[in-house]
Amino acid sequence: MSEHPVSPQRVQAELERLRALIHHHDYRYHTLDAPEIPDVEYDRLFLQLEALERAHPELITSDSPTQRVGSQPLGGFVQVTHDIPMMSLAKVFNGEDLQDFEVRIRKRLDSDADIEYSCEPKIDGVAVSLLYENGRLQRAATRGDGVTGEDITHNVRTIRDVPLRLQQNADTPFPARLEVRGEIYMSRAGFEAMNAEAMKTGARTFVNPRNAAAGTLRQLDPAIAAARPLHMFCYSVGIFEGAGLPPTLSESFTLLQSWGLRVNPERAVVTGADACLAYADRLLQRRASLDYEIDGAVIKVDRLKLQDELGFNARTPRWAMAYKFPAEEVSTQVRDVEFQVGRTGTITPVARLEPVFVGGVTVSNATLHNMAEIARLGLQIGDTVIVRRAGDVIPKIVQVITPQDSKTPRIPVQMPTHCPACGSEIEPAGEVLFRCSGGLVCPAQRKEAIRHFCARGALDIEGLGEKLIEQLVDRDMLRDVADIFHLSGEELAGLERMAEKSANNLLAAIDKARSTTLPRFLFGLGIPEVGEATALVLAQHFGNLEALQSADQAALEAVEDVGPIVAAHIVHFFSNADNREVIRRLQAAGVHWPDVELAQQSQVLEGQTFVLTGTLELMTRDEAKARLQALGAKVAGSVSKKTTWVVAGPGAGSKLDKAVELNIPVMDEAQFLTFLQTS
Ligand code: D41
């Protein structure tokens, strides 16, 4: 602060200048997704404004960007009656019914002219109404039953996507009163992060982003909403008092955006029902890559005059339709809980479900992870549950919803005392885990160990998959991984679904796998906690297998990224005579690899930062990361000005966009391989 008192007019002007600037940058960032200044500069402006307001609290206005978190409403939520009721959406589940929708529209309009539709994603969030008077946010309310909702202004004010005042637009000023409707949602990434944090602190977790958004908006204390990743897309105009409403919905969207309201960037105008279907199909393909959950596409007649002509049914407009996607959450019943034995003997409970169609596939199993998860869910056999399968992720049970008066008997889930595969005793292993004590006596562990040995990042034996391993172990043709190299054509010919050609192919693949690399071999051994990256670091540190086998705990802990637990697993593994014998037999059967050059050498990529994005096809992401790190490079999760290179595989998304935007060089996987070989 200067020593001379500043005139109140000067302070007022400076406050206005800062607020207008911040307002402008909020618009660039939140509405247009096109920031003009870096975050630090924005923060600096914000801090300046806060400091000035602290010195002059009498000049604080309620629409100042600093005032998003206000006080909580006294006496709870106030009911709001919507001036114009908020309608529902009619829905269809297939293309035929969508075609019928168009037929009905044509009939009612008595026209066979082409109809243009404005299409957009159907956000799975909470429908709300925002009321602006003279450009200031006056009130935000939930849709409620469409006629009356609740006043949630205190929470909605905290959402950065929602402008506290509308942006001036010289061409088309905003009307004196404007009500917009839209959907408030929680971003997927934000939801995951919030739940992960809640798990750690023991706070309550939410079942899905929609429930999290709804639960947040129901809070009285706006500080809670302020701390949560809520966003909003606007999808329709209610009250519009003033001139300038354009003739189409799509143009209204552009107008709303120019006033600072956020509209969905996936929206599109298309002609005819077929094109709507094509839009919906494209959107369905993109579903998993969006940072918000959607449950369909919304198709709306674009021309407002036609909307007026079509009018409404009792609850729904005749000019709009939701085209619903397959549900990602459905309810079903838990028939049983069984226990699976993993590669290292870990026992995992798996729910056997009444088969259900969810997220586009039929699901009859869901992993339950461990006993703590079962306790957290309060799950018992016989329960009715919600199963969720979003994108390509494995199905999981998110909630028990057994009705109070259910007649189905409920049976508590208990960890068995003996392994279901081999009968050995099950013992606790850590806080929530249990393990079969049978080791390689246990056929389940043997199968898993062999499967792991043959997997892509390990010896990569094509054709030796789960089903075949199952058969071979059950017939006692494979007892351990060394037996793989003694399989004969005659033996294989006796198996189910094994033609001579596939037997020959398999033998060729096995033969090819004899020549491998030390990191692959180490990874394939399946030492607990030794993943691909650790296997690579170990290989580079010790150079050959003998050196690694004879390393003690201290020598292992000296390896970068190897902690006491991993070191102990390695020592334990190599001290086991059975394991050493298997390795000896593998080598005797001709499995070999070149020694690895020791790592201390080239730190040629020191000071460089890489970002990996998209799918890598020739190596795994862990492998790519380990190789870069071995050359001294850093591998970061997001692209910034500090990034030196971006390696982009198929399906690369926003990180690639960001790299292009920041002018950061990009290489594909083939170029990356050459780069590694020449570095
Ligand atoms: O994204 C949505 N959930 C969404 C909901 C949307 N994109 N458009 C919508 N349009 C309407 C009309 C056509 C009635 C203005 C809606 C909804 N309604 C809606 N949301 C909840 C009930 C109705």
Side-chain angles (χ1 to χ4, degrees):
M1 282 286 132
S2 94
E3 290 166 32
H4 306 288
V6 186
S7 78
Q9 290 89 334
R10 292 269 305 277
V11 174
Q12 184 65 46
E14 177 62 4
L15 282 170
E16 266 315 306
R17 186 187 75 85
L18 287 168
R19 284 173 193 159
L21 254 178
I22 292 172
H23 190 54
H24 170 76
H25 291 302
D26 277 342
Y27 171 65
R28 297 290 313 187
Y29 185 94
H30 295 285
T31 310
L32 299 187
D33 199 14
E36 292 173 333
I37 54 170
D39 291 358
V40 281
E41 223 162 288
Y42 177 91
D43 294 343
R44 198 172 50 79
L45 288 174
F46 207 94
L47 289 174
Q48 271 180 336
L49 177 60
E50 278 183 330
L52 201 55
E53 287 184 342
R54 239 191 331 273
H56 303 275
E58 72 286 359
L59 298 179
I60 297 179
T61 56
S62 69
D63 64 351
S64 169
T66 59
Q67 301 303 300
R68 284 195 175 265
V69 188
S71 51
Q72 62 182 54
L74 298 170
F77 289 99
V78 175
Q79 298 268 313
V80 171
T81 305
H82 301 292
D83 283 8
I84 306 172
M86 291 177 75
M87 294 278 156
S88 303
L89 273 173
K91 45 189 146 196
V92 293
F93 295 88
N94 57 53
E96 211 176 303
D97 291 347
L98 191 66
Q99 303 278 7
D100 287 350
F101 166 65
E102 175 155 74
V103 171
R104 286 198 300 276
I105 289 179
R106 284 232 173 103
K107 207 178 256 172
R108 212 166 237 283
L109 294 176
D110 195 17
S111 142
D112 43 19
D114 284 342
I115 297 172
E116 301 203 313
Y117 299 94
S118 169
C119 306
E120 65 195 292
K122 184 166 184 299
I123 313 292
D124 206 2
V126 180
V128 300
S129 141
L130 307 178
L131 180 65
Y132 286 91
E133 285 176 353
N134 300 314
R136 317 255 148 170
L137 177 66
Q138 283 304 326
R139 192 195 70 199
T142 58
R143 172 175 177 276
D145 61 8
V147 177
T148 29
E150 277 177 341
D151 190 320
I152 51 165
T153 314
H154 62 295
N155 286 329
V156 174
R157 286 176 61 90
T158 67
I159 303 174
R160 303 264 153 191
D161 293 355
V162 176
L164 297 178
R165 37 169 142 152
L166 295 178
Q167 191 79 12
Q168 300 292 353
N169 167 353
D171 298 334
T172 322
F174 48 74
R177 281 185 98 219
L178 171 70
E179 188 219 359
V180 289
R181 280 101 186 254
E183 203 83 358
I184 289 179
Y185 66 92
M186 187 174 284
S187 69
R188 261 190 232 265
F191 167 77
E192 298 294 346
M194 189 185 89
N195 258 2
E197 187 59 32
M199 286 263 202
K200 258 194 256 164
T201 61
R204 88 167 264 217
T205 57
F206 287 99
V207 161
N208 58 36
R210 204 203 76 80
N211 285 10
T216 304
L217 292 175
R218 263 198 306 273
Q219 299 292 321
L220 280 171
D221 178 2
I224 296 174
R228 296 208 177 144
L230 293 180
H231 298 275
M232 177 165 178
F233 283 126
C234 298
Y235 59 65
S236 88
V237 177
I239 302 166
F240 192 100
E241 276 177 24
L245 192 63
T248 61
L249 180 61
S250 49
E251 288 163 288
S252 324
F253 282 153
T254 313
L255 205 53
L256 291 181
Q257 187 172 37
S258 79
W259 295 331
L261 293 157
R262 193 156 163 261
V263 289
N264 198 303
E266 308 288 329
R267 70 191 186 282
V269 178
V270 306
T271 307
D274 284 335
C276 291
L277 267 179
Y279 171 87
D281 279 345
R282 265 196 321 272
L283 186 62
L284 182 57
Q285 296 305 317
R286 291 175 45 71
R287 187 183 198 178
S289 66
L290 299 174
D291 192 32
Y292 44 85
E293 304 217 314
I294 62 175
D295 56 357
V298 188
I299 316 287
K300 299 171 184 172
V301 171
D302 194 33
R303 198 150 288 279
L304 303 187
K305 195 164 143 292
L306 296 185
Q307 290 188 3
D308 274 347
E309 272 179 59
L310 289 163
F312 301 88
N313 286 321
R315 296 187 57 237
T316 61
R318 291 198 189 92
W319 42 265
M321 186 58 78
Y323 178 83
K324 295 273 280 185
F325 292 157
E328 293 186 326
E329 282 183 11
V330 300
S331 70
T332 187
Q333 230 179 14
V334 177
R335 286 177 173 172
D336 198 3
V337 172
E338 288 178 4
F339 292 85
Q340 271 178 0
V341 190
R343 169 167 58 83
T344 56
T346 313
I347 308 282
T348 308
V350 180
R352 304 287 178 218
L353 306 169
E354 197 61 47
V356 275
F357 192 69
V358 55
V361 300
T362 301
V363 165
S364 42
N365 302 306
T367 175
L368 289 164
H369 303 291
N370 53 50
M371 296 307 280
E373 174 77 355
I374 293 178
R376 192 179 70 80
L377 290 166
L379 178 103
Q380 302 196 7
I381 296 164
D383 270 336
T384 304
V385 294
I386 292 180
V387 179
R388 175 186 179 81
R389 181 186 176 274
D392 287 332
V393 296
I394 358 176
K396 69 178 209 179
I397 293 178
V398 291
Q399 203 177 8
V400 172
I401 52 159
T402 307
Q404 288 287 319
D405 56 359
S406 162
K407 301 259 177 332
T408 319
R410 298 177 74 220
I411 307 164
V413 180
Q414 266 183 340
M415 178 56 66
T417 53
H418 292 86
C419 174
C422 71
S424 303
E425 251 174 66
I426 287 176
E427 48 199 27
E431 259 176 71
V432 293
L433 297 185
F434 291 84
R435 188 165 285 154
C436 159
S437 60
L440 289 180
V441 168
C442 175
Q445 289 189 51
R446 285 214 310 268
K447 285 173 193 169
E448 283 303 305
I450 296 170
R451 205 166 62 82
H452 178 79
F453 185 79
C454 301
R456 218 175 65 152
L459 283 254
D460 193 14
I461 307 181
E462 210 178 312
L464 197 45
E466 194 171 338
K467 287 261 146 49
L468 190 53
I469 293 171
E470 176 106 30
Q471 276 193 66
L472 291 166
V473 172
D474 288 344
R475 296 175 181 221
D476 221 21
M477 288 160 67
L478 279 188
R479 314 204 79 237
D480 57 39
V481 294
D483 290 345
I484 293 172
F485 297 94
H486 299 289
L487 286 171
S488 70
E490 298 92 82
E491 274 181 305
L492 290 175
L495 296 172
E496 285 164 34
R497 271 177 294 157
M498 178 62 74
E500 192 179 321
K501 180 145 184 268
S502 28
N504 286 338
N505 287 345
L506 179 57
L507 288 176
I510 291 173
D511 194 43
K512 193 168 136 215
R514 283 195 164 89
S515 158
T516 185
T517 67
L518 182 55
R520 282 176 173 277
F521 185 79
L522 288 179
F523 173 59
L525 290 177
I527 306 168
E529 305 283 337
V530 177
E532 277 172 272
T534 308
L536 186 67
V537 175
L538 288 169
Q540 285 170 336
H541 186 92
F542 292 100
N544 61 62
L545 183 64
E546 296 66 37
L548 172 62
Q549 273 182 304
S550 49
D552 62 9
Q553 177 85 17
L556 286 162
E557 281 186 42
V559 181
E560 203 181 337
D561 288 341
V562 173
I565 294 177
V566 182
H569 279 303
I570 298 169
V571 170
H572 183 74
F573 184 88
F574 288 119
S575 67
N576 178 315
D578 291 338
N579 291 337
R580 283 203 308 270
E581 175 60 12
V582 169
I583 292 171
R584 191 198 62 74
R585 286 174 47 229
L586 281 167
Q587 289 184 298
V591 177
H592 66 281
W593 53 85
D595 283 353
V596 177
E597 236 176 273
L598 295 189
Q600 73 279 80
Q601 81 295 15
S602 52
Q603 292 286 309
V604 286
L605 299 185
E606 175 129 34
Q608 302 200 23
T609 303
F610 283 69
V611 173
L612 306 170
T613 177
T615 329
L616 298 185
E617 288 161 331
L618 305 170
M619 65 181 97
T620 64
R621 206 176 262 243
D622 273 350
E623 197 179 337
K625 187 171 168 187
R627 292 183 65 169
L628 284 169
Q629 286 169 343
L631 293 169
K634 272 209 203 108
V635 179
S638 62
V639 178
S640 73
K641 277 182 301 198
K642 295 199 200 101
T643 311
T644 330
W645 280 102
V646 170
V647 180
S654 60
K655 288 180 195 170
L656 180 56
D657 297 344
K658 185 87 185 272
V660 173
E661 187 189 315
L662 296 178
N663 246 330
I664 289 161
V666 177
M667 54 183 143
D668 64 20
E669 193 177 4
Q671 291 167 325
F672 178 55
L673 272 183
T674 318
F675 177 88
L676 285 178
Q677 277 151 14
T678 51
S679 290

